Every structure is written in structure tokens, then in C-alpha cells.
Amino acid sequence: MKFDTLSTRYTGGVASSYEAQRTGSADWPKEQAVVERFLATLPSGSSIVDVPVGTGRFLEFYKRFGLAPTGLDISLDMMESAKAKAQALSLDINFQKADIRHIDAPDKSFDTALCVRFVNWVDFAGFEAVMAELSRVARSNIIVSVRVWPTPSSFGAKLGQMWTSFRRRKAELHFHNTQATEALFQRVGFTIVESENVRQRRDQTSFVFYLLRRAA
């Protein structure tokens, strides 16, 4: 999906019903648990930029762990839900409208950058643009979720990959090759500290959450 399409997708009823339509899924609580565990490793007082912040699904964790969050999103409608949550939590957070490829902040402005459920909507060139910007503004860590392909090792695996690719294109999802994903992390100067697969499909594609750290 193109960035311009994404910028107008999450408005109105789509935004207001976003979380209600997903909290009952099997993946949602698994994702929450992984992000909670990753965030628990950050020192209290650490700054974090959540982009796209969406409806603010992780705000409770920022409050609990004493983190200093900034929430960015292209959708003002999505952020309205996040603002309501922040108010209910008495959480001090700066919300700003922003394009994830062009964050209005100096280099290494935040200790950690978090990006969940976004790069599965863009092609690999878009994924590269996102990682370049996250790595620019993140001083130490990046938490990112990626839908990945296994690296094909046989003709049968390649056929399975082609079939699943066709199905995902119809749903507008993008899966990224595991080896290319990990190489991208290295190119932007980050190493994998931990990863967790929250969903393994029959076609061997996975939904993986990565905790990355800036290489020394």
C-alpha cells in the first residue's frame, strides 16, 4: 500500500472502531505481552517515540514503567482516542501529527523508537525509509514488528512463498524476507537483542517483534 493511501485510511469510523475490532483477536494480547516485556527492560525516565501511536494501545505501559513518551501519527482521528486514554491515565505525553518518514526531531532525540503494525503495509523500499528515519531519531533502541518470509531453501518453499504472496497482495499486506530484514537492521546500525514470533502461519510466514539496539 502506498504511503499516501495509508495517510487517509484511518479516519472516521475506521479510527473509532480500530481497537474494538482487534482486541478480541488471538494475536492482540500476545503483541501486548511482548511489547510490555520489551518496554520493561528500558530504564525509568527513558524517552520513547511511538509512531504511529494510533489509539494509544501502549500508553498504560509507558505510565507503569515511568517512560517519557511522544506519540506521532498521520491520523488526527486515531490520536483523538489516544489523547482520551492519556487523559484517563493522567499521562503526560506530547502528541503530534507526523509522517513516519519525516519526523520533526533532531538526530537521536529519543532513547527508543517504537513502530508496531506499520511496515506490514508498505513495500521493502518503504520499510527501508521507515527504518532510516527511526534509526536517525533513536539514540539506543528500536522496537519494531515485521511480517516476514522465511528464506526459501527449496523449490517447494519458493512455490509456497509465491502463493502466499499472491494472497497477501489481495489483502494489501506486505511480508518481508527474514534475511533482508535482518540485513536492513544492520545497515541502519542496529543489532537484534531479542525477537519473538507472535504468529507462525502454515505457510511459514511469521509476525515477529524485534528489540534492536544501536551497535557499539
Side-chain angles (χ1 to χ4, degrees):
M1 192 179 299
K2 296 183 182 298
F3 281 93
D4 289 346
T5 303
L6 283 168
S7 70
T8 58
R9 179 169 183 166
Y10 296 97
T11 59
V14 174
S16 61
S17 64
Y18 177 86
E19 198 161 324
Q21 291 183 347
R22 290 162 177 79
T23 52
S25 71
D27 291 347
W28 192 269
K30 293 178 184 177
E31 296 170 29
Q32 292 292 108
V34 173
V35 171
E36 181 180 14
R37 184 162 55 79
F38 287 176
L39 293 176
T41 67
L42 305 180
S44 180
S46 297
S47 58
I48 183 166
V49 60
D50 183 341
V51 54
V53 68
T55 57
R57 61 184 292 195
F58 305 125
L59 298 190
E60 182 181 349
F61 301 151
Y62 303 151
K63 176 76 172 182
R64 184 187 312 164
F65 298 127
L67 303 178
T70 294
L72 308 180
D73 206 296
I74 200 74
S75 169
L76 294 176
D77 289 351
M78 292 287 276
M79 280 196 293
E80 282 304 310
S81 295
K83 287 177 181 178
K85 282 185 184 177
Q87 185 173 13
L89 291 167
S90 298
L91 176 66
D92 184 15
I93 175 171
N94 177 30
F95 289 105
Q96 297 177 28
K97 182 175 181 178
D99 184 321
I100 195 170
R101 298 166 296 177
H102 308 290
I103 297 172
D104 185 15
D107 294 356
K108 299 183 180 178
S109 292
F110 308 96
D111 294 310
T112 301
L114 180 146
C115 179
V116 168
R117 285 200 175 203
F118 183 81
V119 299
N120 49 285
W121 294 114
V122 296
D123 61 16
F124 198 76
F127 184 17
E128 289 178 308
V130 168
M131 288 305 302
E133 188 67 347
L134 295 180
S135 65
R136 183 185 70 78
V137 300
R139 187 176 302 113
S140 302
N141 312 292
I142 296 175
I143 296 170
V144 61
S145 66
V146 188
R147 295 184 185 272
V148 294
W149 295 108
T151 301
S153 57
S154 69
F155 181 69
K158 290 179 180 178
L159 285 177
Q161 188 179 64
M162 289 169 62
W163 167 242
T164 307
S165 178
F166 170 75
R167 290 196 293 116
R168 297 293 176 257
R169 281 200 300 274
K170 290 181 74 66
E172 299 182 280
L173 282 173
H174 285 269
F175 281 65
H176 304 295
N177 176 265
T178 300
Q179 188 174 17
T181 293
E182 295 180 359
L184 173 57
F185 296 156
Q186 289 186 329
R187 286 201 303 278
V188 298
F190 281 75
T191 59
I192 299 172
V193 174
E194 189 175 351
S195 64
E196 183 161 336
N197 181 6
V198 300
R199 186 174 187 185
Q200 180 80 41
R201 297 177 181 269
R202 289 184 178 180
D203 57 16
Q204 299 305 301
T205 58
S206 306
F207 192 25
V208 180
F209 281 62
Y210 293 93
L211 173 59
L212 309 177
R213 190 148 297 148
R214 186 174 291 278

